[in-house]
Amino acid sequence: MSEFKENIATFARQFVPSYRFIRTHESTLGNSHELQTELKPHSIKVLTWNIAKNNFEKTWFKDFYRILRQHQPDLIFCQEVRMGVGVEQIIGFNKLSWAYAPNFIDTHHQTYSGILTAANISPLSKKAIVTKHYEPLVNTPKVSLITEYSLSHQHKTLLTINSHLINFVDLSKFKTQLQEIELALSTHHGPIIFAGDFNTWNRQRAILLDKAVTKLGLQSVEFAPHESKKIKRFLLSPPLDYIFYRGLTERSASAKVLDEINSSDHKPLLAEFSYVDM
């Protein structure tokens, strides 16, 4: 691993100007549309997708609108989303309420990169958690985005966290990010959805993730074997993308991986939940 990190650092010095990627002072950006006031607890459709910064490409727009039309997700968690600096809207999400947490600015393209959570309703609150450690090459942190939503006719709220976990660092830094997320979620006593790209490309990372979600009482959405094999991996590694949940009921046979979508090297993951207040 140390030799790999040294090679990354050498590449960074040779090919990436130190001034190109800069950290941003904005913690969250957003846009609100009051299309409805509460999530309907009998059916909460969830999409998570690392779009690999392709949301300025025509092929991505075609794929994204196809997903919206066919599957009508209520909650959308996207990682690696680009947004123009000084632009108040992200094309494709203009009819949704969205919250965006950037982790750096690409000065060459004048774009943010970050994670985005979108829904048919506005969040009650939103908060970004920025890692204290930085990835090599771009020397920027990773970010998670917490949003909270009302549930129809329920006293409790749904807490969601959209995460992209840190990469190309030693295991202790990966563990630190997970501990920060654990702390943020530990005070919420209602239902939770935790989704994103967890960069679990080896067994050690996957074990740490499993310990963290188990501690929080979360369980993973179960994909059928023929669906699971479509999820992004590195060679024979565990999956990189997950949807975890607590306090919800997973709709049987709802979990799908959209293998026909090719505008990113990650496939979109879909799941559906219901909620009954006990």
Side-chain angles (χ1 to χ4, degrees):
M1 182 65 181
S2 60
E3 182 180 353
F4 176 71
K5 289 168 64 179
E6 289 174 5
N7 291 338
I8 288 288
T10 299
F11 179 88
R13 288 191 295 268
Q14 292 178 346
F15 298 104
V16 182
S18 60
Y19 54 81
R20 174 170 175 176
F21 300 103
I22 60 174
R23 291 182 285 279
T24 173
H25 297 292
E26 291 86 359
S27 58
T28 60
L29 302 166
N31 187 43
S32 294
H33 283 293
E34 291 291 350
L35 302 179
Q36 59 189 58
T37 58
E38 300 165 320
L39 289 170
K40 297 175 182 178
H42 62 274
S43 175
I44 302 172
K45 297 179 181 178
V46 172
L47 166 75
T48 186
W49 187 17
N50 182 329
I51 66 174
K53 303 184 181 72
N54 288 327
N55 58 300
F56 288 0
E57 305 295 331
K58 289 182 179 179
T59 54
W60 180 85
F61 283 115
K62 182 179 179 180
D63 283 343
F64 184 62
Y65 288 130
R66 177 181 177 183
I67 293 169
L68 292 183
R69 183 176 63 255
Q70 291 185 357
H71 301 284
Q72 300 179 357
D74 300 291
L75 290 169
I76 300 170
F77 305 105
C78 289
Q79 304 83 45
E80 293 196 26
V81 179
R82 296 170 69 192
M83 178 179 178
V85 174
V87 177
E88 296 182 356
Q89 185 57 267
I90 300 179
I91 299 173
F93 296 91
N94 54 305
K95 293 184 179 180
L96 298 165
S97 290
W98 53 266
Y100 182 72
N103 60 320
F104 67 82
I105 295 173
D106 182 339
T107 59
H108 179 72
H109 295 291
Q110 281 298 294
T111 55
Y112 294 109
S113 179
I115 58 177
L116 179 144
T117 300
N120 290 325
I121 66 171
S122 297
L124 299 171
S125 62
K126 57 186 178 183
K127 177 185 177 182
I129 305 175
V130 182
T131 60
K132 61 181 69 174
H133 299 116
Y134 304 136
E135 290 185 335
L137 187 60
V138 293
N139 193 34
T140 54
K142 273 290 194 280
V143 64
S144 298
L145 177 60
I146 296 177
T147 48
E148 188 174 7
Y149 297 95
S150 293
L151 287 164
S152 177
H153 308 302
Q154 309 296 332
H155 299 296
K156 293 180 180 179
T157 58
L158 172 66
L159 194 73
T160 75
I161 181 162
N162 179 0
S163 286
H164 195 180
L165 266 61
I166 196 165
N167 215 352
F168 309 120
V169 296
D170 59 49
L171 204 59
S172 65
K173 294 176 181 178
F174 178 82
K175 184 177 181 179
T176 295
Q177 185 182 10
L178 280 173
Q179 289 172 335
E180 292 169 345
I181 292 169
E182 280 183 52
L183 182 62
L185 297 183
S186 63
T187 58
H188 185 74
H189 301 294
I192 291 175
I193 295 174
F194 180 19
D197 176 356
F198 294 86
N199 274 319
T200 42
W201 42 261
N202 67 21
R203 180 171 172 77
Q204 290 81 7
R205 283 174 165 245
I207 289 172
L208 286 177
L209 176 61
D210 182 67
K211 287 180 178 178
V213 297
T214 299
K215 187 176 180 180
L216 290 164
L218 303 173
Q219 61 190 86
S220 177
V221 167
E222 292 295 330
F223 291 90
H226 69 281
E227 295 286 341
S228 179
K229 69 181 182 181
K230 304 172 187 175
I231 302 174
K232 174 76 173 182
R233 289 172 168 83
F234 284 119
L235 298 177
L236 299 177
S237 79
L240 305 189
D241 305 312
Y242 294 89
I243 303 172
F244 299 103
Y245 65 97
R246 185 186 79 190
L248 300 164
T249 300
E250 182 184 349
R251 290 287 185 106
S252 60
S254 69
K256 298 178 182 177
V257 182
L258 303 185
D259 193 40
E260 70 276 12
I261 300 298
N262 297 306
S263 56
S264 169
D265 60 337
H266 290 250
K267 301 296 184 181
L269 274 58
L270 284 167
E272 185 177 359
F273 303 97
S274 59
Y275 173 71
V276 177
D277 195 2
M278 303 301 292

